[in-house]
Amino acid sequence: MMQWLSNIYRLGLKELRSLRADPVLLLLIVYIFSFAVYAVATGAKLEVVNASVAYVDLDRSDLTGRIIEAILPPEFDTPEEISATDIDRVMNKGDYVFVLYFPPGFEADVIAARLPEVQLNVDATAMVQAGNGSVFLQEIISAEVTKFIAGDDTSTSLPINLVVTAKFNPNLQSTWFSSVMQVINNVTILSVLLTGAALIREREHGTIEHLLVMPVSPAEIMLAKIWANGLAINVAAVLSLWLVVQGILAVPIAGSITLFVAGTVLYLVSVTGLGILLATFTTSMPQFGLLALPVLVIMNLLSGSTTPMESIPDWLQTIMQISPSTHFVAFSQAILYRGAGLNTVWPDMLVMAGLSAIFFVLALMRFRKTMAAN
């Protein structure tokens, strides 16, 4: 047993030295857990920010003026007036996400309770801003019309007292979600790429033949690659959470980092095993990249890190239960967002452990066959 552990340890050190000698992979690890996390968190906004608005005011009344003045930053840019004949042109060019049209006699019709229509043209290709922004504009118009009819600027009280409490993200900032999920997705991507690249590198450098004549087993070689590359990814992920997510982006981490690391270790066994499995079907890095790309896209897009699992068709939800990324995302969200403890996340950890064993065995069987062929 001690010799077995010693072999795994020393082979793992060899993997770390190989990684240290590869500046491209080192740069990739640094980039993907630093700038890539920051850029996605601050650049890919899910909420409405600086949405462009134009308006056509054929009424020129006090009411339309009040509505236009109520459309304010940071959700919207300052509205710009255009002519009615320019609506189709500016929408076709994509100059504005929203164009409001106030017909003649709008204020008089409101006072006379004739239910006038306000046309809101929306560029729905900007899907997130179109959906949320149109709701905001409807609320602004409704609030201003209500206050105008009431004759003062006090808001009309509702027959109920509606209290909305946003848990875990009180300001509804997309940065709180996207930054953490980017780290989680990057763990999956690098786990597959690094271990796969390590095996491909052995072949390209001819060192796989050296391993074949050494008194080591395929299981020892695999475990060495898994712990070495897993260690590098785990350290990079934790540093990213501390320095980038908490430090630069000021996103709070609610739960235990230690528990997160423990679950990540279980997860890394499965995804690094997957990387080795994919690498055994290829002979070069370009082939490996082409094979790994669709697998990673499916794992990330359908794991719940981009959209909720509930929005995925039921049959696809069932299929995705065999993906370790689905359980890792649920596990990570529970800990990092909601501060869950072991008593809450142990089912996901148990499933990840089971899937890790399955993926490891499959990868080991394929790896043995590949080494025997060499």
PDB file of all heavy atoms in Angstrom, residues 112-129:
ATOM      1  N   ALA A 112     -60.804  61.894 -19.576  1.00  0.00           N
ATOM      2  CA  ALA A 112     -62.179  61.516 -19.913  1.00  0.00           C
ATOM      3  C   ALA A 112     -62.441  60.023 -19.750  1.00  0.00           C
ATOM      4  O   ALA A 112     -63.538  59.554 -20.066  1.00  0.00           O
ATOM      5  CB  ALA A 112     -62.491  61.948 -21.346  1.00  0.00           C
ATOM      6  N   ALA A 113     -61.421  59.274 -19.263  1.00  0.00           N
ATOM      7  CA  ALA A 113     -61.545  57.830 -19.046  1.00  0.00           C
ATOM      8  C   ALA A 113     -61.914  57.089 -20.319  1.00  0.00           C
ATOM      9  O   ALA A 113     -62.718  56.148 -20.303  1.00  0.00           O
ATOM     10  CB  ALA A 113     -62.563  57.541 -17.945  1.00  0.00           C
ATOM     11  N   ARG A 114     -61.321  57.515 -21.449  1.00  0.00           N
ATOM     12  CA  ARG A 114     -61.587  56.842 -22.726  1.00  0.00           C
ATOM     13  C   ARG A 114     -60.563  55.742 -23.040  1.00  0.00           C
ATOM     14  O   ARG A 114     -60.534  55.229 -24.163  1.00  0.00           O
ATOM     15  CB  ARG A 114     -61.623  57.890 -23.847  1.00  0.00           C
ATOM     16  CG  ARG A 114     -62.877  58.752 -23.831  1.00  0.00           C
ATOM     17  CD  ARG A 114     -63.035  59.513 -25.147  1.00  0.00           C
ATOM     18  NE  ARG A 114     -62.075  60.615 -25.240  1.00  0.00           N
ATOM     19  CZ  ARG A 114     -62.362  61.884 -24.921  1.00  0.00           C
ATOM     20  NH1 ARG A 114     -63.576  62.196 -24.477  1.00  0.00           N
ATOM     21  NH2 ARG A 114     -61.451  62.826 -25.033  1.00  0.00           N
ATOM     22  N   LEU A 115     -59.722  55.412 -22.083  1.00  0.00           N
ATOM     23  CA  LEU A 115     -58.738  54.323 -22.221  1.00  0.00           C
ATOM     24  C   LEU A 115     -57.871  54.472 -23.479  1.00  0.00           C
ATOM     25  O   LEU A 115     -57.908  53.627 -24.394  1.00  0.00           O
ATOM     26  CB  LEU A 115     -59.446  52.960 -22.233  1.00  0.00           C
ATOM     27  CG  LEU A 115     -60.263  52.601 -20.997  1.00  0.00           C
ATOM     28  CD1 LEU A 115     -60.918  51.245 -21.171  1.00  0.00           C
ATOM     29  CD2 LEU A 115     -59.388  52.609 -19.752  1.00  0.00           C
ATOM     30  N   PRO A 116     -57.088  55.525 -23.561  1.00  0.00           N
ATOM     31  CA  PRO A 116     -56.215  55.701 -24.728  1.00  0.00           C
ATOM     32  C   PRO A 116     -55.102  54.650 -24.748  1.00  0.00           C
ATOM     33  O   PRO A 116     -54.765  54.051 -23.708  1.00  0.00           O
ATOM     34  CB  PRO A 116     -55.639  57.103 -24.522  1.00  0.00           C
ATOM     35  CG  PRO A 116     -55.641  57.292 -23.047  1.00  0.00           C
ATOM     36  CD  PRO A 116     -56.886  56.605 -22.559  1.00  0.00           C
ATOM     37  N   GLU A 117     -54.535  54.420 -25.900  1.00  0.00           N
ATOM     38  CA  GLU A 117     -53.480  53.427 -26.056  1.00  0.00           C
ATOM     39  C   GLU A 117     -52.120  54.105 -26.182  1.00  0.00           C
ATOM     40  O   GLU A 117     -51.986  55.128 -26.860  1.00  0.00           O
ATOM     41  CB  GLU A 117     -53.731  52.562 -27.297  1.00  0.00           C
ATOM     42  CG  GLU A 117     -54.961  51.672 -27.193  1.00  0.00           C
ATOM     43  CD  GLU A 117     -55.125  50.791 -28.420  1.00  0.00           C
ATOM     44  OE1 GLU A 117     -54.350  50.995 -29.389  1.00  0.00           O
ATOM     45  OE2 GLU A 117     -56.010  49.923 -28.421  1.00  0.00           O
ATOM     46  N   VAL A 118     -51.124  53.528 -25.513  1.00  0.00           N
ATOM     47  CA  VAL A 118     -49.728  53.932 -25.677  1.00  0.00           C
ATOM     48  C   VAL A 118     -49.002  52.762 -26.327  1.00  0.00           C
ATOM     49  O   VAL A 118     -49.049  51.634 -25.830  1.00  0.00           O
ATOM     50  CB  VAL A 118     -49.070  54.272 -24.327  1.00  0.00           C
ATOM     51  CG1 VAL A 118     -47.593  54.607 -24.530  1.00  0.00           C
ATOM     52  CG2 VAL A 118     -49.781  55.436 -23.665  1.00  0.00           C
ATOM     53  N   GLN A 119     -48.366  53.034 -27.447  1.00  0.00           N
ATOM     54  CA  GLN A 119     -47.666  51.969 -28.164  1.00  0.00           C
ATOM     55  C   GLN A 119     -46.225  51.873 -27.674  1.00  0.00           C
ATOM     56  O   GLN A 119     -45.504  52.870 -27.630  1.00  0.00           O
ATOM     57  CB  GLN A 119     -47.686  52.251 -29.665  1.00  0.00           C
ATOM     58  CG  GLN A 119     -47.084  51.119 -30.497  1.00  0.00           C
ATOM     59  CD  GLN A 119     -47.075  51.463 -31.977  1.00  0.00           C
ATOM     60  OE1 GLN A 119     -46.230  52.225 -32.438  1.00  0.00           O
ATOM     61  NE2 GLN A 119     -48.042  50.928 -32.710  1.00  0.00           N
ATOM     62  N   LEU A 120     -45.817  50.679 -27.287  1.00  0.00           N
ATOM     63  CA  LEU A 120     -44.439  50.426 -26.876  1.00  0.00           C
ATOM     64  C   LEU A 120     -43.825  49.431 -27.850  1.00  0.00           C
ATOM     65  O   LEU A 120     -44.202  48.263 -27.891  1.00  0.00           O
ATOM     66  CB  LEU A 120     -44.390  49.867 -25.451  1.00  0.00           C
ATOM     67  CG  LEU A 120     -43.007  49.445 -24.942  1.00  0.00           C
ATOM     68  CD1 LEU A 120     -42.033  50.607 -24.959  1.00  0.00           C
ATOM     69  CD2 LEU A 120     -43.112  48.845 -23.540  1.00  0.00           C
ATOM     70  N   ASN A 121     -42.894  49.907 -28.660  1.00  0.00           N
ATOM     71  CA  ASN A 121     -42.180  49.058 -29.615  1.00  0.00           C
ATOM     72  C   ASN A 121     -40.907  48.544 -28.954  1.00  0.00           C
ATOM     73  O   ASN A 121     -40.120  49.329 -28.392  1.00  0.00           O
ATOM     74  CB  ASN A 121     -41.827  49.851 -30.869  1.00  0.00           C
ATOM     75  CG  ASN A 121     -43.063  50.403 -31.565  1.00  0.00           C
ATOM     76  OD1 ASN A 121     -43.745  49.699 -32.291  1.00  0.00           O
ATOM     77  ND2 ASN A 121     -43.353  51.678 -31.323  1.00  0.00           N
ATOM     78  N   VAL A 122     -40.702  47.239 -29.018  1.00  0.00           N
ATOM     79  CA  VAL A 122     -39.581  46.620 -28.312  1.00  0.00           C
ATOM     80  C   VAL A 122     -38.731  45.821 -29.287  1.00  0.00           C
ATOM     81  O   VAL A 122     -39.257  45.022 -30.077  1.00  0.00           O
ATOM     82  CB  VAL A 122     -40.083  45.681 -27.193  1.00  0.00           C
ATOM     83  CG1 VAL A 122     -38.905  45.103 -26.421  1.00  0.00           C
ATOM     84  CG2 VAL A 122     -41.025  46.415 -26.259  1.00  0.00           C
ATOM     85  N   ASP A 123     -37.416  46.047 -29.232  1.00  0.00           N
ATOM     86  CA  ASP A 123     -36.483  45.229 -29.995  1.00  0.00           C
ATOM     87  C   ASP A 123     -36.204  43.966 -29.182  1.00  0.00           C
ATOM     88  O   ASP A 123     -35.352  43.954 -28.287  1.00  0.00           O
ATOM     89  CB  ASP A 123     -35.180  46.006 -30.244  1.00  0.00           C
ATOM     90  CG  ASP A 123     -34.170  45.194 -31.048  1.00  0.00           C
ATOM     91  OD1 ASP A 123     -34.484  44.039 -31.409  1.00  0.00           O
ATOM     92  OD2 ASP A 123     -33.064  45.702 -31.311  1.00  0.00           O
ATOM     93  N   ALA A 124     -36.927  42.906 -29.467  1.00  0.00           N
ATOM     94  CA  ALA A 124     -36.857  41.691 -28.651  1.00  0.00           C
ATOM     95  C   ALA A 124     -35.616  40.850 -28.938  1.00  0.00           C
ATOM     96  O   ALA A 124     -35.430  39.806 -28.307  1.00  0.00           O
ATOM     97  CB  ALA A 124     -38.113  40.848 -28.858  1.00  0.00           C
ATOM     98  N   THR A 125     -34.765  41.291 -29.888  1.00  0.00           N
ATOM     99  CA  THR A 125     -33.498  40.578 -30.047  1.00  0.00           C
ATOM    100  C   THR A 125     -32.608  40.800 -28.829  1.00  0.00           C
ATOM    101  O   THR A 125     -31.760  39.967 -28.520  1.00  0.00           O
ATOM    102  CB  THR A 125     -32.763  41.039 -31.317  1.00  0.00           C
ATOM    103  OG1 THR A 125     -32.562  42.460 -31.268  1.00  0.00           O
ATOM    104  CG2 THR A 125     -33.568  40.696 -32.554  1.00  0.00           C
ATOM    105  N   ALA A 126     -32.784  41.935 -28.141  1.00  0.00           N
ATOM    106  CA  ALA A 126     -32.116  42.167 -26.851  1.00  0.00           C
ATOM    107  C   ALA A 126     -33.010  41.549 -25.778  1.00  0.00           C
ATOM    108  O   ALA A 126     -33.704  42.252 -25.052  1.00  0.00           O
ATOM    109  CB  ALA A 126     -31.899  43.648 -26.620  1.00  0.00           C
ATOM    110  N   MET A 127     -33.001  40.230 -25.681  1.00  0.00           N
ATOM    111  CA  MET A 127     -34.050  39.481 -24.995  1.00  0.00           C
ATOM    112  C   MET A 127     -34.195  39.849 -23.519  1.00  0.00           C
ATOM    113  O   MET A 127     -35.294  40.098 -23.038  1.00  0.00           O
ATOM    114  CB  MET A 127     -33.788  37.981 -25.134  1.00  0.00           C
ATOM    115  CG  MET A 127     -34.919  37.110 -24.613  1.00  0.00           C
ATOM    116  SD  MET A 127     -34.611  35.364 -24.951  1.00  0.00           S
ATOM    117  CE  MET A 127     -33.088  35.092 -24.045  1.00  0.00           C
ATOM    118  N   VAL A 128     -33.074  39.894 -22.777  1.00  0.00           N
ATOM    119  CA  VAL A 128     -33.156  40.158 -21.339  1.00  0.00           C
ATOM    120  C   VAL A 128     -33.677  41.563 -21.083  1.00  0.00           C
ATOM    121  O   VAL A 128     -34.596  41.781 -20.292  1.00  0.00           O
ATOM    122  CB  VAL A 128     -31.773  39.966 -20.688  1.00  0.00           C
ATOM    123  CG1 VAL A 128     -31.818  40.379 -19.221  1.00  0.00           C
ATOM    124  CG2 VAL A 128     -31.330  38.513 -20.802  1.00  0.00           C
ATOM    125  N   GLN A 129     -33.099  42.555 -21.777  1.00  0.00           N
ATOM    126  CA  GLN A 129     -33.553  43.933 -21.599  1.00  0.00           C
ATOM    127  C   GLN A 129     -34.975  44.110 -22.105  1.00  0.00           C
ATOM    128  O   GLN A 129     -35.757  44.868 -21.521  1.00  0.00           O
ATOM    129  CB  GLN A 129     -32.615  44.896 -22.325  1.00  0.00           C
ATOM    130  CG  GLN A 129     -31.265  45.053 -21.643  1.00  0.00           C
ATOM    131  CD  GLN A 129     -30.476  46.215 -22.203  1.00  0.00           C
ATOM    132  OE1 GLN A 129     -30.645  46.608 -23.354  1.00  0.00           O
ATOM    133  NE2 GLN A 129     -29.599  46.779 -21.393  1.00  0.00           N
TER     134      GLN A 129
END
